[in-house]
């Protein structure tokens, strides 16, 4: 298997790690890519980006009230 962040993963395709990555593990290495798409086009001064690990996505929320979402243009 492959060790990543202190956890052992089996050889082959890993659909989702605890850190929201999709990986492929072989006997020589592990390669991963993120499930996340980075948000853009939001007010950096009024809003902040937080990781929602349950959905494997970023939330863009108001700095002074994180229960409220901020508008954004899109994700890349």
């Amino acid at each position: 298997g492959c060790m990543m962040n202190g956890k052992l993963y089996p050889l082959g395709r890993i659909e989702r790690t605890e850190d929201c990555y999709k990986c492929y593990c072989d006997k020589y290495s592990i390669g991963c890519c993120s499930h996340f798409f980075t948000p853009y086009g939001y007010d950096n001064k009024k809003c902040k980006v937080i990781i929602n690990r349950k959905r494997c996505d970023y939330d863009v929320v108001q700095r002074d009230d994180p229960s409220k979402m901020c508008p954004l243009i899109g994700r890349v």
Side-chain angles (χ1 to χ4, degrees):
C2 295
M3 185 70 73
M4 187 169 84
N5 295 331
K7 183 169 180 178
L8 182 63
Y9 289 93
L11 292 173
R13 185 176 169 153
I14 304 159
E15 282 299 318
R16 181 177 164 181
T17 68
E18 290 177 355
D19 295 329
C20 296
Y21 286 93
K22 186 186 313 184
C23 302
Y24 186 81
C25 169
D26 63 30
K27 66 181 183 176
Y28 301 107
S29 65
I30 186 168
C32 300
C33 63
S34 174
H35 274 281
F36 301 95
F37 290 99
T38 305
Y40 70 92
Y42 59 92
D43 186 334
N44 291 339
K45 292 178 183 169
K46 294 181 182 177
C47 304
K48 66 180 179 177
V49 177
I50 58 172
I51 297 174
N52 183 324
R53 293 200 188 280
K54 193 174 192 177
R55 291 189 350 257
C56 282
D57 198 4
Y58 291 114
D59 290 335
V60 182
V61 297
Q62 293 181 9
R63 289 185 186 276
D64 59 351
D65 186 355
S67 70
K68 295 181 182 175
M69 302 295 284
C70 290
L72 59 122
I73 293 175
R75 297 173 188 271
V76 291

